[in-house]
Amino acid sequence: GAGAVRGVSVAAVGPRTAAAATGVRGEAALPAERAAGSVYPAGPQQSFHPHDVLEQLEGAAKWQDRSRILEDFHQHLLCIPVTESRSYMSEVLLVLNRLLIDTNFKITLTTLYIIGDLVDRWASSMMTAAGAVVPGLVGKLGDNKIVIRQTAMKIFHKIFTAVVRLGSPQYAEKLLHTLTSSLSNRSMHLRIELLNVVIVALVVFESGAVAYDREPVAQIMCQALLDQSEKVSALAAEALVVLQPAV
């Protein structure tokens, strides 16, 4: 219905946060949506070395060549069998986290699409190493391009939903710790975006009955009430409302 999208209550998180969590009209589609029917290269994966893509990107002079290299990397990843994904995941996510700081818009957006696809395709394998890419995603919440911020928010929502499917309090606590520890950032804008993400996480985890430790989050939200930004303090209060029934 119009009041809830992907399990996130619009009433609970407010229209702005809910819209950011689920994507907005006009947002670029993820590869699975925009490349339906594409034939990805198949073949043995024994020679696949994720860090090779970094050397190839550094050796490419034109951004178009760099974009093609990254797309090839993306397609190669999609061909890896699920049973083999765990052995590659940590290295792949470290590579992607480095690519998130690239200054080229196309490279950054494609990297975000890849991360989104990995969550969809290999949630169980990815969550064991998700910490490698979360810092990069946090940084993208402060990007000056709205499509980058919205795509990062959408990926966080995918990750939170995966945590609920896996029923893992440990993953929930690690994610919330990483997110809330970044609330000391000097950028007011980033703190606002981070709190929007935290609220979405809390709503998803509460609706999914994930038995995570809420007390550390509540303490940090109480501290955030004293933030010099009224927007930050208002969002902290909203987060506490989500937590209140369970704390």
Side-chain angles (χ1 to χ4, degrees), residues 44-50 76-77 80-81 83-95 118 122 125 129:
Q45 307 295 331
Q46 288 83 351
S47 61
F48 180 51
H49 301 290
H76 202 100
L77 285 174
I80 297 175
T83 53
E84 297 179 19
S85 63
R86 189 177 296 268
S87 61
Y88 292 108
M89 193 55 62
S90 180
E91 186 178 1
V92 167
L93 291 181
L94 286 172
V95 169
L118 295 185
W122 305 319
S125 298

Side-chain angles (χ1 to χ4, degrees), residues 10-18 20 141 153 180 183 187-203 217-218 220-244:
V10 175
V13 302
R16 181 180 181 277
T17 304
L141 293 173
M153 174 72 89
T180 55
L183 284 173
S187 167
M188 179 191 69
H189 174 71
L190 183 58
R191 296 200 304 277
I192 290 171
E193 295 301 326
L194 270 169
L195 276 169
N196 280 322
V197 172
V198 169
I199 292 169
V200 171
L202 296 178
V203 171
V217 184
I220 293 173
M221 292 303 105
C222 287
Q223 295 171 11
L225 289 173
L226 304 176
D227 195 281
Q228 60 184 0
S229 165
E230 291 184 3
K231 290 183 179 180
V232 171
S233 58
L235 286 168
E238 189 175 340
L240 287 170
V241 170
V242 179
L243 284 168
Q244 190 173 13

Side-chain angles (χ1 to χ4, degrees), residues 144-172:
N144 60 0
K145 291 184 173 60
I146 189 169
V147 67
I148 297 294
R149 298 197 302 272
Q150 289 172 345
T151 306
M153 174 72 89
K154 192 172 184 179
I155 291 169
F156 270 120
H157 185 267
K158 286 174 178 281
I159 292 173
F160 302 150
T161 304
V163 169
V164 172
R165 288 202 307 267
L166 295 171
S168 174
Q170 180 184 10
Y171 292 151

Side-chain angles (χ1 to χ4, degrees), residues 2 44 64 90 124 176 193 205 234:
Q64 292 92 338
S90 180
S124 179
L176 287 168
E193 295 301 326
F205 294 160

